[in-house]
Amino acid sequence: MESEGKVVVEMVGGRSTVTRCFSKYPLKFIVPNKGDSISCELTVGDGCTAVLTTQASTKVYKSMGSKCSEQVLETRIGSGAVLAVIPDPVTCFSTARYSQKQVFRVVSDSSLVIVDWITSGRHESGEKWDFDLYKSTNHIFLEDDQPLFLDTVLLERGSITSIAERMQDYQVIAMVVILGPKMNHIQSLVQEEVKRIMSEQLRGPPTSLGRQIITKSDHCLMKPSFIASASVFGPKGIGLVVRIAAMTTESVYRFLQHQLACLEPLLGVSPYR
């Protein structure tokens, strides 16, 4: 497929400004603006399957003043339908301000997988939890707008302690939601795997999964490099939420690859491969 593009940068008001930007698929130029706002609607019809993913991490650039970049996703998932929202992580640059909201409307036999995660930033540039604001909201509603799952993660630079001080050595936080009748087997496998991982890390001497910290009293304490919890929600435990804090992005990718591999027959592809 042939593609073409053209970009013109000119001086406007004493600043270099993109005055013309044209591209033809599959080529695409991105000219980021401060405080971008994106809104998207997605409907998955009865009996259908859809996968929503990204080509790479979502990068949130530095903010100007109090401007906040925003992203909103509204979805409806039909009867017997499957939706997997499996993006790469969000990476916020220094001083960035970012807010996203995802609303999922399901019926009793809809199936849904959500992966929502963020890294601490651009390590190669010395940035770790150096953004000003990150807010991620995920809401799931049943018929008649009955709330099934309401969750918000908020990380905000404080006047007393920074985000980096609160997060300590952990560089990634993630949440995985698995819901619906077609996910029952996967929910059970993930729950058992989380139990196994944490029981191995929290007993016995430190392994490659954790590291030792020597306190002032010369007692050895292990800080796990990967922490996960799993809990059910909703009527009769129809949903499962897994929360993760990890010291490396790679360890979370490995976890997602392994735990979501069972989705391949449903999706036609194994996530995060």
Side-chain angles (χ1 to χ4, degrees), residues 243-263:
R243 301 185 189 277
I244 299 166
M247 293 184 183
T248 67
T249 305
E250 292 74 18
S251 64
V252 181
Y253 268 119
R254 288 195 299 268
F255 177 86
L256 295 173
Q257 288 171 357
H258 181 65
Q259 301 308 314
L260 301 183
C262 296
L263 290 173

Side-chain angles (χ1 to χ4, degrees), residues 52-253:
L52 187 61
T53 186
T54 55
Q55 291 183 315
S57 63
T58 298
K59 297 174 179 61
V60 184
Y61 297 97
K62 296 183 177 184
S63 64
M64 297 292 290
S66 60
K67 289 185 177 180
C68 183
S69 297
E70 298 177 332
Q71 182 169 289
V72 177
L73 173 65
E74 295 263 1
T75 72
R76 292 185 178 273
I77 308 167
S79 175
V82 177
L83 172 62
V85 181
I86 46 175
D88 292 291
V90 172
T91 297
C92 292
F93 289 22
S94 174
T95 74
R97 298 177 63 85
Y98 177 69
S99 174
Q100 71 173 25
K101 183 176 183 179
Q102 300 184 136
V103 178
F104 304 89
R105 302 186 185 279
V106 303
V107 295
S108 59
D109 62 344
S110 302
S111 294
L112 173 66
V113 175
I114 307 167
V115 178
D116 187 16
W117 53 320
I118 180 175
T119 71
S120 58
R122 299 182 298 170
H123 295 183
E124 68 280 3
S125 300
E127 297 177 3
K128 293 185 179 181
W129 305 114
D130 199 29
F131 50 85
D132 286 351
L133 173 71
Y134 170 83
K135 183 179 181 180
S136 179
T137 297
N138 288 279
H139 288 173
I140 304 176
F141 294 97
L142 291 167
E143 298 98 325
D144 301 323
D145 285 335
Q146 180 182 352
L148 176 62
F149 180 82
L150 305 175
D151 183 86
T152 295
V153 173
L154 175 63
L155 297 174
E156 187 172 13
R157 188 190 299 273
S159 58
I160 300 176
T161 60
S162 65
I163 300 172
E165 289 173 319
R166 298 195 295 270
M167 295 302 297
Q168 298 185 25
D169 295 318
Y170 293 97
Q171 307 301 326
V172 184
I173 56 173
M175 181 184 73
V176 183
V177 175
I178 305 173
L179 170 71
K182 294 184 179 180
M183 303 295 167
N184 288 341
H185 179 59
I186 298 174
Q187 289 174 346
S188 299
L189 291 176
V190 172
Q191 277 186 292
E192 290 303 314
E193 184 66 10
V194 169
K195 290 179 182 177
R196 184 192 65 79
I197 291 173
M198 294 313 300
S199 64
E200 287 184 358
Q201 292 208 61
L202 297 177
R203 71 166 184 258
T207 66
S208 59
L209 293 174
R211 66 177 187 174
Q212 287 186 341
I213 297 178
I214 309 299
T215 65
K216 292 181 179 180
S217 57
D218 291 332
H219 292 296
C220 280
L221 300 176
M222 184 182 74
K223 177 183 287 187
S225 61
F226 186 98
I227 299 174
S229 68
S231 56
V232 298
F233 65 87
K236 299 180 181 179
I238 61 173
L240 177 73
V241 57
V242 179
R243 301 185 189 277
I244 299 166
M247 293 184 183
T248 67
T249 305
E250 292 74 18
S251 64
V252 181
Y253 268 119

